[in-house]
Every structure is written in structure tokens, then in C-alpha cells.
Amino acid sequence: MLYKSTRNSKKEVSAAKAIVKGISDDGGLFVPCSLPKISLDDLNMLKDKNYIERAVFILSKFLTDFTEQEIIDCVKGAYSNIKFSSKDIAKVLKLDEQIYMLELWHGPTCAFKDMALQLLPHLMKVSMKKQADGKQIAILVATSGDTGKAALEGFKNVEGTNIIVFYPQDGVSLMQKLQMVTQLGDNVDVCAIKGNFDDAQNGVKAIFTDSVIIDELFKNNVLFSSANSINWGRLVPQIVYYFSAYCDILKKFDITLGEEVNVVVPTGNFGNILSAYYGKKMGLPIKTFICASNKNNILTDFINTGIYDKNRSFYQTISPSMDILISSNLERLLYDIYDSDEAIKKLYSDLAKYGKFTIDDNVKFKIKSQFYGGFCDDGQTKKTICHIFKKYKYLCDTHTAVAVSVYNDYKKETGDETKTIIASTASPYKFTKDVLSSISGKTDCDDFAQLDELSKMTDTTAPKQLLNLKDAKIRFKNAIDKDDMKNYVLQKFTSK
């Protein structure tokens, strides 16, 4: 299995090189030259396996330059019961005859990013031995909230790596911020950006393709890589949990082998839903991808109009991990449909020059035939949290609620009764203030008292890793302008 850039399909690299580099030198994203096929017989076999065994089976199709034992060791290192509170790793709950909640937040940082970022450091370590020739790896991360903590936790004290996480100063929840700025580890650094997530993401991408910085780091025996979902090593573990969810429903509940399901994903950067799309292309029986956005509804508009236009207002919402206007992984979807690096270069040149691009009618039709785009605002998000709790006694966070709301709109609009998997992407306790006020209207107690209040009111338990933040020491207080990111990186990794 080899990988090529979305902006230069002629150059092919191994999985290890794609993982170490993170992003191609031309600014494109690495994608597999072909997707492996998973048969119904394979699914029938996998239904009787545990999550680790399923992950090894799927990943072995993509990481062909890894030995079988290397893959086994990586997967076992990532998904041990010490790190994940559920033995299922990715837990599936049935709410009613149509809805299955895929809980992806039972890892150490209480968000779905753990599913990939507990594995990526292991993949990176093996890949470094194959590709990095003894060099240090400088990992840069832009986060809208959850990726940062998950990356820090995954890479802390990993030999041969150093990691810097950039986050929007006023664009994450209190719990998300505390998780990052109190992070332990000798090789970690956290810095706030005076701007939004897109500013942080654009800054990181610019650094990755800056030849002056790359050369300067190379002189200091340092190579860049990324832990954002632009890195294929972040994306491929996410494919696994969609296969695993289908297998769990097949074994524990009431679908038949080969029966199609819908998938609903609350998404900003498009990586999570793209993983499900790749799963379908590999053979997973998925009917419709329901792409759920908050008030920053650029993906909704794109799916419905074929125009991607970032020239719009940016909103800070109660679902901050989706407060994004530049959805990086959309490039991979467009490349898959266009099958042309020239087309991708033209689209993203237009995006850089004019802040927007328009896809042709044929591509728009192909996307519309598989994807439904919808969104809801903060008011509807809070109503949905309350409704779901009253109806099912199920407590969901401010991102999962967006997915549920958009799914309800989809069902009303289409009448589709297909069984549906909804990606539940974060613990409700990461967004306690808004979840609590949605259910009770209470906003008058302090942030950590809110954890206790929500626990008592809903008969649920707050994760101990969030409770422990109350007494954690703040280690990182830096805040810089977005234009100073390059200098910040140079100072950290070179003698300048």
C-alpha cells in the first residue's frame, strides 16, 4: 500500500513516510493509492472479535510496510483497559429502533480524538525507526479544543518527539483549556493564539511548507510532523471504529449482515465523517452520511450548493470543536471524487486567492447523492440535550446534540427509517456549564461545582480526569499573535 499527495499523484510514499511527514511538501494531503476491500464474510468474522483484533485486521490493510507484530504492539499499546474506561473501547448503545449511539469518548481525555491519538504516537515511533534516520520529530498541532489534549496526552514523554499545541485563546471550553495548560510531560508545549482555530490551522500549515524553517530545523536534526487529521496516521484509526460499530450492532442487536445503516457525524474539519466514507468504499454497508454542523455551517452550504465560501462570519458556539471555516479533510473527499490533482490544485488556489471555490455539477451530484448536510444553532443544541435526556435518560454533550438535531431534521425531511449510527464525540462533562443549563437552567454555581450538580441531577458520574483538574498546576500561560507562530516554533527547536 503506497500513498500519494492530493496535489501530486505522481510521487508515491510508504505508510511510514506519510505518517512521519504528516503533510506533503506540495501542501497536499496523503491518501492511499487504492482502498482495500472488506467483504461481508470479513464483517461476519469480525463481529466475533474484540476491538483490538478488529483494529489489527483493518490497519494491516493500510500499513503494509509494518510487520504484523509491529501493528499488534501499536494497537495493544493504544487501547489497553488502563487507558479506556470501557472494555468495548468504542461503545455502542441502542436508544430506540432506529438510533445507535457510538460513544467514542471513553479514552483518557474524554473525547473521540483519543481513538486516533492514543494510536498515532505508537505508529509514529515505528515509522520514525523506518524513516527518520535518528532525527527528532517536531509535532505541531492546531486545535479547536479536543485534538490538543489528546495529542499532548498521546505524545507526552515519547522518545524522539517534541510537541507544540496551538489553540484559540477564547475559542475552547474551560475544561478543554485546563486539560491542555496543565499537561504533564517533558516534551510538551502549549500556546494560545489571539485568533480562531482557522488562524491556528493556517499558521501550522504555513510552517510545514516554509522552506526556510524546514531547512533551519533540518540543520538542528529536527523534522516536522503533524498530529492533526491532515496526518494519515490520524485518519486511518478512525476508519476502524465504524467497522467495529457495525460489527457490534450485527452481533448484539438487530441488523442483518449486509443491511445498510446511516451514519451521523458532528464535524468541523471533516475527518471523522471522511473516515466513514472511506469505510463505505471499502465495503461497509452505509447508505447516507449525515454531516452535522453548528452555526458555522460552511459544510452544510457546500453540500447543498457546491460552493465552498469561507468569506462569512465566524461564530463562537457552545460546540467549540466544530467552530471551523476551513475543513481540511474535505480536500481528500474532493480528490477521491475528482481523481485529479490538477483539479484539486485549482480549487485550493481559488480558495487561497478568493476565499471560495465552486465544484462542477457532476461532482456536486456525486456528493449530494451520498451526503446530507444540516446544522443547528446553540438554542436548538440546548433544546436537543434536554429532549434526549428526558426521552431516553441519555446525557449527551454539545457536539453530539448537534448530530441528533440534524438527524431529526433529516428524518422529518426524508422519512428515512434506516437504522442509524450517531457518533457521540465527547463526554458531556467536558461542556458541563452548557449541558447543565440545558437540562436545569442552572448557571449560578462555579465550574467544578457544576460537575457535582450535573452528576447528582442525572445520576451519572463525572470522569475522574476532569475532576482532578481542579487542583492541577497550570504550566503554560503563553499567548501570541497568529503572525508570531513561525518565530515561536523556531525559538523552540533551533538555536535562533
Side-chain angles (χ1 to χ4, degrees), residues 152-200:
L152 291 163
E153 189 65 26
F155 278 97
K156 71 175 181 183
N157 296 326
V158 172
E159 186 180 353
T161 68
N162 286 278
I163 179 171
I164 300 177
V165 169
F166 295 104
Y167 72 94
Q169 187 174 29
D170 299 315
V172 299
S173 76
L174 175 68
M175 288 297 171
Q176 289 174 314
K177 181 177 180 178
L178 286 175
Q179 282 186 306
M180 289 187 284
V181 298
T182 61
Q183 176 67 47
L184 299 177
D186 296 331
N187 64 335
V188 304
D189 188 68
V190 179
C191 183
I193 296 297
K194 298 172 184 176
N196 58 40
F197 168 75
D198 290 325
D199 294 325

Side-chain angles (χ1 to χ4, degrees), residues 39 42 53 105 217 310 375 387 489:
S39 68
D42 290 330
E53 291 168 325
W105 42 265
L217 263 67
K310 68 171 186 170
F375 76 100
H387 172 74
V489 170

Side-chain angles (χ1 to χ4, degrees), residues 120-171:
L120 179 60
H122 296 277
L123 299 180
M124 184 74 76
K125 197 170 183 178
V126 174
S127 297
M128 285 165 57
K129 291 179 181 177
K130 299 176 186 293
Q131 294 288 331
D133 193 26
K135 288 182 169 57
Q136 294 284 306
I137 300 294
I139 298 167
L140 303 185
V141 177
T143 185
S144 55
D146 290 331
T147 289
K149 171 60 180 178
L152 291 163
E153 189 65 26
F155 278 97
K156 71 175 181 183
N157 296 326
V158 172
E159 186 180 353
T161 68
N162 286 278
I163 179 171
I164 300 177
V165 169
F166 295 104
Y167 72 94
Q169 187 174 29
D170 299 315

Side-chain angles (χ1 to χ4, degrees), residues 19-37:
I19 290 169
V20 168
K21 286 186 69 63
I23 188 171
S24 178
D25 294 335
D26 50 53
L29 307 184
F30 288 113
V31 293
C33 292
S34 62
L35 286 168
K37 298 299 181 184

Side-chain angles (χ1 to χ4, degrees), residues 349-368:
S349 174
D350 287 349
L351 185 65
K353 289 179 181 178
Y354 312 116
K356 64 179 180 179
F357 61 72
T358 303
I359 57 176
D360 64 46
D361 288 342
N362 182 50
V363 172
K364 177 184 173 183
F365 173 79
K366 289 180 178 179
I367 292 174
K368 283 278 287 181

Side-chain angles (χ1 to χ4, degrees), residues 42 63 99-100 107 110 117 179 362 402 480 491:
D42 290 330
L63 308 176
I99 300 176
Y100 300 86
C110 307
L117 282 166
Q179 282 186 306
N362 182 50
V402 170
I480 64 173
Q491 290 170 3

